[in-house]
Amino acid sequence: MKTIPPPCPVPETGPKYWRSLDQLAETPEFRQWAEREFPAGASELTDPFTRRTFVKLMSASFLLAGFGLSGCRKPEEKIYPFSKMPENYVHGQPKYFATARPTRNSAVPLLAKSSDGRPTKLEGNPGHPDSNGSTDAFTQASILNLYDPDRAIRFAQNGNTVDAETALVALQKIASEAKDGTGLCILAEQSSSPSRARLQAALKDKLPQSKWFVHEPVDFDIHREAATRAFGQSVTPYFKLDEASVIVSLDCDFIGSEEDAYINIRRFAKGRKLERPDSSMSRLYSVEPLMTLTGMNADHRLRIPASGVIAIGALLAQEIAGQSDGDLAKAIASLADDKTVGALNDQLKPSDSKSERKWSPDFIKKWAVECAKDLLANRGRSIVLAGYRQPLAVHLLAHALNAALGNIGNTVVFHAAPEPEKGRGIADLAKALTDGEVETLVILGGNPAYTAPADLKWSEAQGKARKNVVRLGYYEDESFPAKGLSLPQAHFLESWGDARTSDGTVVSIQPLIEPLFGGLTDLEVLATLAGFEKTKTAPYDIVRETFKSLGGGGEEAWKQYLHDGFLADSAAKPVTVRLNGSNVASALASAEPVVVPAKDKLEVVFHRDYSVDDGRFNNNGWMQELPDPVTKLTWENVILLSQKTAEDLGLNIVNYENNQLKVPWVQVELDGRTVEGPAWIQPGQADNVIGLALGYGREKTGRVGLNSGYDAGKLRTTKALHCASGAKLKSTGVKHMLSITQDHGSMEGRPIIREATLEEFRKNADFARKMDMEKPPGMVDGSAMKSLYPNPFDEAKKTAHHQWGMSIDLNSCVGCSACMVACQSENNVPIVGKYQVANNREMHWLRLDRYYTGEVEDPQVITQPMLCQHCEAAPCENVCPVNATSHDQEGLNVMTYNRCVGTRYCSNNCPYKVRRFNFFDYNRRTLEQLKGPVYTTPLLHKTEGEWDLARWWRDPDRGTKPTDEWELLKLVKNPDVTVRMRGVMEKCSFCLQRIEGAKIAQKVKAGASGDVTVPEGTIKTACQQACPAEAIVFGNVADPESRVSVLKKQERNYSVLDFLNTKPRTTYLARVRNPNPAMPDAYTRPWSTEEFIKHNENPSEEGGGHAEPAGAEKKGAA
Amino acid sequence: MSDAVAPFEMPPQTGRKQELVVKAPPKALEREPLVTHQRSIGWLSDAIAGVAEGKTPKWWWMAFVPSVTLMTTCFTMILYLMSIGVGVWGPGHPVMWGWAIVNFVWWIGIGHAGTLISAILFLLRQRWRTSINRAAEAMTIFAVMCAGIFPLIHVGRIWFGWWLFPIPNMEGIWPQFRSPLMWDVFAVSTYFTVSVLFWYMGLIPDLAVMRDRSKTFIRKFAYGLFSLGWTGSNRHWSNYEKAYLILAGLSTPLVLSVHSIVSMDFSVSQLPGWHTTIFPPYFVAGAVFSGFGMVLTLLVPLRRLLRLEDIITVRHVELMCKVTLATGSIVGYAYAMEFFIAWYSGNPYERYAFINRATGHYWWAYWTMISCNVLVPQFFWFKKVRTNMIFVFVLSILVNIGMWFERFVIVVISLHREFLPSNWSYFRPTWVDILTYLGTFGLFFTFFLLFLRFVPIIAIAEVKGVTPQADPHHPLGGAKEGGHH
């Protein structure tokens, strides 16, 4: 410790000098003289009643009064000094740590931001070899789970709280009594952790008779299983979508619900980036029963029941691989018999004769043949994918196709993957439990009582363990053992661990915070069970030990590993494989026949929800409020139907767009089991198919997830986990209210999202700008119109160092919604609950607009991220009576929350409607209190036994949230962003806090050099940072070299609502579709463009204002 | 008070005098007098002052109790709103202004008739105004008070409402003078101030009458206090007339400016359906229309209840109907013009906004507006309708309803479907919206009923000036030989 020397006192020793003899004598005369003559006003210092003294006293009392008054406005915050200061710690300066979020069989490498010791934001780790620093919505939201007040916070035995020590002793006792492990069964979730694998092996050594079971309600292991079957080798596939020119998805939602979708999005978007008109882009064919994100982005989409997908695969295979192998050809031919294909084809026939352009008696066949031709033309540069919901046969077909097309080793590579033991699924465990073979059941994570197939009756089975049930769980949920031991699980940000990403790279998981509630990790529990010494069960030691075998024992290597967040060069090496034709043929031969559904024999498709996954994000408010990227519904799941099916079943489902979305509550019956839920029409869904999203309708969940949706899992059986047929649906006569964030699905021919085909783009590169409306006179060449009120910003911007702008590539954006959650996390955006969403009061600063074009049976779907456009001539600014929204000299439209009184005029005048208003104190009210229509008023309400008004008086910040909720939720807030109060307007700030942070850092760095311009790439907005497709680019538009400037110079660049002359700083790059002209459903123009032309050919506009020459040119080109 | 017969004896007519008497115009050309039944000046004083003096009638209590109840409801709703947030009302994306602004504009519009009648008609020497101006001005003041509540309570942080006024503060931030809401603050507060002054000015001679007639000390003291020592001397009258003229001159531009500026709350924005240059004159016409509608609604029953049919005559009602017809037709023209311009502009967003008004989700609001504002006043072409008090009363209420819907159409329909279809949604009021609006009626009628009971509801001094007796050339009037009044 460095000791700071005490301040030097006036030396007492040494010679004393005197000015005169008087001074020496200290006579009163001298003193008086010195005071009068010397330092001016010195006498006042000794006079107690001078003006100066008076002012001093008064200012002190004012200050005191101020202290007293400040109690009314801000709570007092005591800052305690560190008793031991951490090294390099600067108060208020966030730190970043590399870690990872483990997923089912993979992980998301992360850089986690820690603000004064609490994690506040997760970002992808751009250093990771298979990452561009992006993440998915789940990862962005997972930080909220850390601060979930409803998570398991206690150790419990038989439902009673016990202390951690007792619980651990009980666990040790189980371990010591386990002998050889007979009767000990462990049910775990999937994991890619090398440490867990090591402990699993150690456990097997210690307790050889113990049994290990794995359960995942949404299981992606079929990819590995199929690859292993197809190639006769233990391998798992890895898809390089960026290297494919033609992608065929057989019900594979690789953009949305497949594992590691964010990697797929990155690669897919890379293959579709258009820098110039002569750039090439990939083409996506999608065959699917439900409308998925992948289908939304497809150039050609074929809707077909899930069970019929195999027939399309077989049709493709007939064209491509049919001749290669006798057995295989026969198996394939049997799958694509004319009768089945004909029946499927008939399903597509629209009831409405006017839209029959997409149908012919052999439409499906033609579709498949042309698709196959396209694949054949792109041998080695194509890819066929099968989705996890499809049976093994479809996967094998896909592998056979890839093999035949020479894609293996090019667009599809295989990594070695260990094969799990057979017969270790949850069904086997349930049977063992029922047979009484299980003495001790250890459940490591997951929620089997909710997620296990309904036929297993897990809740009952779980209680049949003869001795003990030990459950490590993140929540005290449905699987909470009434009898047995319950251990709280640690969040991944609280625990040590490791994992492998899908490319095989080992990533480290390191804690950013001590476990908030003393939770344990599965590693600790396993180590205890495996009889590790008490000192060796710490997860850190386990992970450190594992690392020795992975990256050597050196301390430097370990530090490097933790610093980087991954082990360099640990990615798996591709394995050379050869298709085992006979395996494929035999599997195809025994494939389930296609069951063409009918209206009284509906097909049910269970799908992983885009918001709550399989239910693990059920209590996460950000995800609950995140609109489903396809349906735009929030807070619950629905029973998805096609329009025709709804009509056939006599259901009247209409969105009257009148804020009262009342839909029929229907009952679905499948094999004697029933569930009830609200029915909803999804355009583009296959007829006679119903889509049920998993993860909702939880019986025991936290205060967020309570009463959200219905439990589709009640219909799921071991045999039909993903698809089932023979369901019946009937209306119950009850109506149910839904909350949707976008009522209107059509763009009404307005050029908001502008599209063209690739062909058109090549001929007519600036097609997007030709859709501009006629500009008011005076700004035709982009020159600014003479304004009545010259914008002061026009002068200021000449001297500013930066001019911020954004470019959003609609051709890359797939609509995954990661940006929305990233923004919510970064900017402290509150959630408002189902009923406030129904009142159109959701607070998302960034939203994804989703439009349908074309017929409801088979629409084209387009999405557009919409956020504050930061208009240079912002309409919101001049109408604000109190100057609360104004421009800074760097072109940002900034909100002064302190100044806002909430007239909401700015929102009315914003043509993009991107401003959000705090109608209530959303941050400080509970969801229950936001329900309406009668809201609790603090004048009459009590919280925790305290009158709300008194509570507010004591601490205005606390609101009416219960203390436990409040204390945790305030930890998740970004300290750099104000938490807005009620009555204040808010909106996207382009992550102003990040901009300012970078500017300050640059100023410090520049020092005397004066180079304060922030270098390109330093600032990434939260949405940009999270975007896997790199669709959002933010930067300095004053720098012509910056990426954003380059993008804005592209031909596809356009502004939304250009004619209003708002001069937005956010511009869009028009979307390009890549249809195959030979396809039976080919189109020469995207349907949104068709709609636009239709609206603009209206004869009433001939010679009118906006029928500009572009329209004529377009007609000429067509 | 006995009816008929003037209290003055006709002076004896000599032959010489007879020659000088102006011949009465033929019956067909004769204008109906502004005070019928040749009521005497004394009768007028008694009749008008009697309203505030006599025993409180039963119907007054029957109106007053519900009014106070409603007013209390209004304040309760405001307290509820303030304690929780604006969210208790209906607005949400994209309709950020709902009933609050509709009500504000509606009440302000109603507040137009008073000053128009008192100032513009005064300057135009429309003598019929004297019977109705006092009540109309009172109505204006109370309507502006009701209107003024809404902009204040509709803001998110009511306790900072004073930031809209240019008051020096420690933040050193001045209001933003480019914002029409800012102009609103000035326009409405000026209008209110001038209206109150004008009204009070006109009241002074009448308050003196009340003072002189008072029998109790308290009344005498209170009326004495407010009549500011009025004695009715020539000097007083001379100053008074000048001041009245000046205030009338000041108020006249305000009549035009207030609603023009209120209309700019909309027309300054760029929203299709709001961004319209026709708004200022159209809003003023609409305001006068609704103001006269409200005056009719109030005075038609009152003249009967208070037995003032001789002062507020059928002719008055007819004249007001004619103004309503004229302004209603202007409003109708404006509606047509809006559609024409929307088509003529060639802007598809503009065009959609107007087609959507007539055929969209809120078609019922639009067609209510058209029928009440354009069709209903057309009945006033017919004298039979204009003179049938029940008809006039019903139609005047329809006019009020229509004008409320006009503001609803402008505010809500324009907002609910604007530029980006992804934002399109619907607005639905909540129970708090409805009760707050109804509550302002309580406030309005409470004040109006109190006004009836304490202040002469007709300008006594002025109305005497339009009686035949006040006309020196009239056989009944003037300082005739041997007498004066």
Side-chain angles (χ1 to χ4, degrees), chain B residues 144-218:
Chain B
V144 174
M145 281 163 66
C146 291
I149 288 175
F150 286 105
L152 178 67
I153 61 171
H154 102 285
V155 300
R157 302 201 290 174
I158 297 159
W159 51 100
F160 288 136
W162 57 276
W163 284 353
L164 267 75
F165 293 91
I167 300 169
N169 56 51
M170 69 172 186
E171 290 175 332
I173 304 177
W174 216 229
Q176 225 255 97
F177 290 96
R178 285 188 296 160
S179 168
L181 293 187
M182 197 64 241
W183 312 338
D184 243 17
V185 170
F186 293 115
V188 175
S189 55
T190 313
Y191 183 68
F192 182 70
T193 316
V194 173
S195 299
V196 171
L197 282 176
F198 198 24
W199 181 64
Y200 180 59
M201 255 295 294
L203 261 175
I204 291 172
D206 291 359
L207 289 175
V209 172
M210 295 300 290
R211 175 199 63 198
D212 297 346
R213 293 167 61 99
S214 295
K215 288 180 183 126
T216 64
F217 173 75
I218 295 172

Side-chain angles (χ1 to χ4, degrees), chain A residues 656-657 750 840-841 847 849 877 879 881 883 898 900-901 903-905 909 915 933 935 937 982 1101, chain B residues 80 82-83 89 91 93 96-97 154 156-157 176 179 265 270 351 361 417-419 422-423 425 431:
Chain A
Y656 292 104
E657 300 179 18
R750 299 179 175 188
N840 309 315
R841 289 171 184 170
R847 61 170 198 262
D849 289 346
E877 286 172 16
V879 297
N883 266 320
N898 280 347
C900 179
V901 298
T903 67
R904 308 189 291 288
Y905 197 172
N909 208 24
R915 297 182 147 257
Y935 302 91
T937 156
R982 120 187 192 205
E1101 283 167 27
Chain B
Y80 177 67
M82 282 166 68
S83 70
W89 285 346
H93 251 219
M96 280 294 192
W97 284 350
H154 102 285
R157 302 201 290 174
Q176 225 255 97
S179 168
D265 285 351
Q270 38 68 52
R351 194 173 26 178
H361 280 178
R417 290 196 153 197
E418 28 82 277
F419 295 103
S422 66
N423 298 318
S425 197
W431 60 278

Side-chain angles (χ1 to χ4, degrees), chain A residues 827-998:
Chain A
N827 291 305
N828 300 337
V829 175
I831 56 161
V832 300
K834 178 181 169 179
Y835 295 89
Q836 291 293 307
V837 173
N839 283 332
N840 309 315
R841 289 171 184 170
E842 68 276 6
M843 296 299 287
H844 297 126
W845 284 7
L846 190 170
R847 61 170 198 262
L848 277 164
D849 289 346
R850 182 267 294 118
Y851 297 105
Y852 296 117
T853 57
E855 292 102 15
V856 68
E857 284 98 355
D858 258 311
Q860 286 181 353
V861 193
I862 35 185
T863 54
Q864 180 179 41
M866 186 47 75
L867 63 165
C868 177
Q869 305 280 298
H870 289 272
C871 311
E872 285 182 8
C876 51
E877 286 172 16
N878 75 315
V879 297
C880 174
V882 290
N883 266 320
T885 184
S886 48
H887 242 83
D888 77 356
Q889 67 273 30
E890 299 190 339
L892 297 180
N893 170 259
V894 286
M895 261 310 292
T896 316
Y897 302 126
N898 280 347
R899 185 69 189 162
C900 179
V901 298
T903 67
R904 308 189 291 288
Y905 197 172
C906 52
S907 174
N908 284 342
N909 208 24
C910 172
Y912 312 96
K913 292 282 176 289
V914 288
R915 297 182 147 257
R916 301 291 180 183
F917 187 67
N918 289 275
F919 280 96
F920 293 110
D921 225 338
Y922 290 126
N923 277 297
R924 301 190 186 113
R925 299 207 116 209
T926 60
L927 286 175
E928 187 55 33
Q929 288 175 341
L930 291 171
K931 206 170 153 185
V934 180
Y935 302 91
T936 53
T937 156
L939 301 174
L940 304 172
H941 185 255
K942 270 185 176 178
T943 304
E944 294 174 337
E946 199 179 359
W947 186 31
D948 279 355
L949 217 56
R951 190 181 161 94
W952 171 80
W953 185 254
R954 206 159 305 153
D955 181 0
D957 272 351
R958 193 164 44 158
T960 49
K961 286 218 161 133
T963 308
D964 63 335
E965 198 176 337
W966 181 245
E967 290 302 321
L968 277 172
L969 279 184
K970 66 183 185 186
L971 295 179
V972 77
K973 300 281 190 248
N974 182 354
D976 297 331
V977 179
T978 318
V979 176
R980 283 77 56 184
M981 75 176 303
R982 120 187 192 205
V984 170
M985 191 63 78
E986 59 183 70
K987 62 157 195 85
C988 159
S989 65
F990 270 173
C991 287
L992 186 61
Q993 64 283 5
R994 293 188 177 206
I995 297 174
E996 289 305 308

Side-chain angles (χ1 to χ4, degrees), chain A residues 19-64:
Chain A
R19 268 187 273 187
S20 67
L21 290 170
D22 285 342
Q23 187 189 9
L24 191 66
E26 286 252 329
T27 60
E29 292 77 26
F30 172 77
R31 258 200 228 160
Q32 203 183 5
W33 171 81
E35 281 164 6
R36 290 250 176 262
E37 291 292 320
F38 261 125
S43 62
E44 290 184 346
L45 289 174
T46 51
D47 182 353
F49 298 110
T50 59
R51 188 183 55 85
R52 283 173 72 101
T53 323
F54 175 74
V55 170
K56 248 196 308 190
L57 284 171
M58 284 313 289
S59 60
S61 52
F62 277 136
L63 200 67
L64 282 173

Side-chain angles (χ1 to χ4, degrees), chain A residues 12 23 131 242 283 458 493 608 656 690 709 886 907 951 1110:
Chain A
E12 297 275 338
Q23 187 189 9
S131 168
D242 50 334
R283 179 176 291 147
W458 180 264
L493 290 168
R608 179 193 185 196
Y656 292 104
I690 57 177
S886 48
S907 174
R951 190 181 161 94

Side-chain angles (χ1 to χ4, degrees), chain A residues 722-734:
Chain A
H722 303 299
C723 305
S725 59
K728 286 188 175 60
L729 187 146
K730 65 170 190 225
S731 177
T732 60
V734 180

